[in-house]
Amino acid sequence: MASYRLGVRIGNWLEDEIAQQDLLRDFIRKREKGQLFVQRLARLKENIFKKVELSVSTDGFVHFGDTVLLVNPDCTSPEERDPELRGDVTLAVDMEEVSLYSDEPLQISRGLSAVKRVDPIGRNAFCIVSVDGSAVGEPLRYGQNFLLGTKGGVSDKLAETKIIITHCYTNRNLAVPRTFCVWSCFGREFEVICHNYLDARRVEEDKNYWEIITGNPGPEDGTRPERPKALPEGYENKLAS
């Protein structure tokens, strides 16, 4: 019987070597299929943060099929003086972190949050989708039901106008309370809920108001709220004189 000497393997060395070979083969398989964590994360960032072109509203209306932003304007409530809680925020889809570690195709969760980023990207751009058979291109009417798809009367235009978005089954309004923050894959963000915030006069508070933002119909890039307001007729002539 051979005696022990330096270099002789002891323990379950064969099982350990087989396990390491299996890990290497699994790594190569996932890399070839693009399923490694770093690869999935890179694809997620590419899609989520990819710049999106908003639909251009030349008539001032929002239409089915339009790609828009949903903005909760800066809250002016006196109790919310913290600068971190101020400013415009946009509705955005959330991401389940556990899906990054799964071999299943990446999917956006049904969760929502509000982010301070107001430039249109894959995460905060939504499509106005019909639920009653309205054709793409038809204007969205006040009180008409619709769906928000991620990246499908009154005289008021809706676009760039403060509106209330109500959940059909609970009759509660979409809101950003700005007092609750959540941590997601993207950092600290505002929680989005359905709740009717009413003041002493039974009128909705700023937390419940949203604006549907469309693309800039002019030659300049950007969104409609970023455009300077038109000057009154003859105003430029007075300045020139």
Side-chain angles (χ1 to χ4, degrees):
M1 183 175 180
S3 60
Y4 171 78
R5 64 179 184 275
L6 187 66
V8 174
R9 295 180 176 180
I10 60 175
N12 298 327
W13 63 269
L14 182 59
E15 290 84 352
D16 292 342
E17 186 170 321
I18 293 175
Q20 291 177 2
Q21 291 176 355
D22 289 341
L23 288 174
L24 179 59
R25 282 193 292 268
D26 184 61
F27 173 84
I28 295 175
R29 176 184 61 82
K30 287 186 175 181
R31 184 182 63 182
E32 291 176 348
K33 293 183 177 181
Q35 294 179 343
L36 293 178
F37 175 82
V38 291
Q39 293 173 314
R40 294 169 68 86
L41 184 60
R43 285 201 307 274
L44 172 66
K45 289 183 176 180
E46 181 182 357
N47 294 327
I48 287 294
F49 297 113
K50 184 178 180 180
K51 184 177 180 181
V52 173
E53 294 293 332
L54 298 181
S55 299
V56 175
S57 177
T58 57
D59 57 6
F61 289 97
V62 177
H63 309 82
F64 288 106
D66 280 358
T67 300
V68 301
L69 293 180
L70 285 171
V71 175
N72 179 242
D74 185 17
C75 190
T76 58
S77 299
E79 66 271 13
E80 295 172 358
R81 300 174 182 174
D82 188 347
E84 291 294 324
L85 304 179
R86 300 296 302 272
D88 296 346
V89 295
T90 58
L91 189 69
V93 293
D94 201 356
M95 184 71 200
E96 292 182 354
E97 187 175 359
V98 67
S99 65
L100 291 174
Y101 301 92
S102 171
D103 290 340
E104 298 298 323
L106 283 172
Q107 293 184 353
I108 297 296
S109 73
R110 296 181 180 180
L112 294 170
S113 60
V115 298
K116 286 194 172 183
R117 188 164 186 169
V118 294
D119 54 318
I121 56 175
R123 189 183 172 207
N124 65 352
F126 293 88
C127 181
I128 305 296
V129 181
S130 169
V131 295
D132 57 9
S134 297
V136 172
E138 289 189 12
L140 176 65
R141 306 294 182 183
Y142 179 79
Q144 190 173 7
N145 294 339
F146 66 96
L147 296 176
L148 289 176
T150 54
K151 285 291 304 182
V154 293
S155 59
D156 200 339
K157 300 290 188 178
L158 267 185
E160 330 310 332
T161 301
K162 288 187 177 181
I163 60 173
I164 303 292
I165 300 178
T166 304
H167 187 247
C168 295
Y169 294 105
T170 62
N171 203 35
R172 294 181 179 177
N173 302 328
L174 193 66
V176 182
R178 296 181 186 248
T179 52
F180 307 102
C181 291
V182 294
W183 286 95
S184 70
C185 297
F186 310 101
R188 184 172 179 262
E189 299 175 344
F190 293 107
E191 185 180 31
V192 175
I193 63 174
C194 282
H195 184 78
N196 299 341
Y197 287 95
L198 304 177
D199 60 18
R201 298 172 297 167
R202 306 295 296 174
V203 177
E204 286 83 2
E205 297 180 0
D206 293 339
K207 304 178 184 68
N208 281 130
Y209 283 106
W210 297 84
E211 292 180 358
I212 298 180
I213 305 301
T214 58
N216 190 342
E220 308 90 349
D221 294 330
T223 58
R224 288 178 64 98
E226 297 170 352
R227 301 184 69 196
K229 294 184 178 180
L231 296 174
E233 185 177 357
Y235 192 78
E236 286 185 335
N237 296 334
K238 292 182 181 179
L239 289 178
S241 59

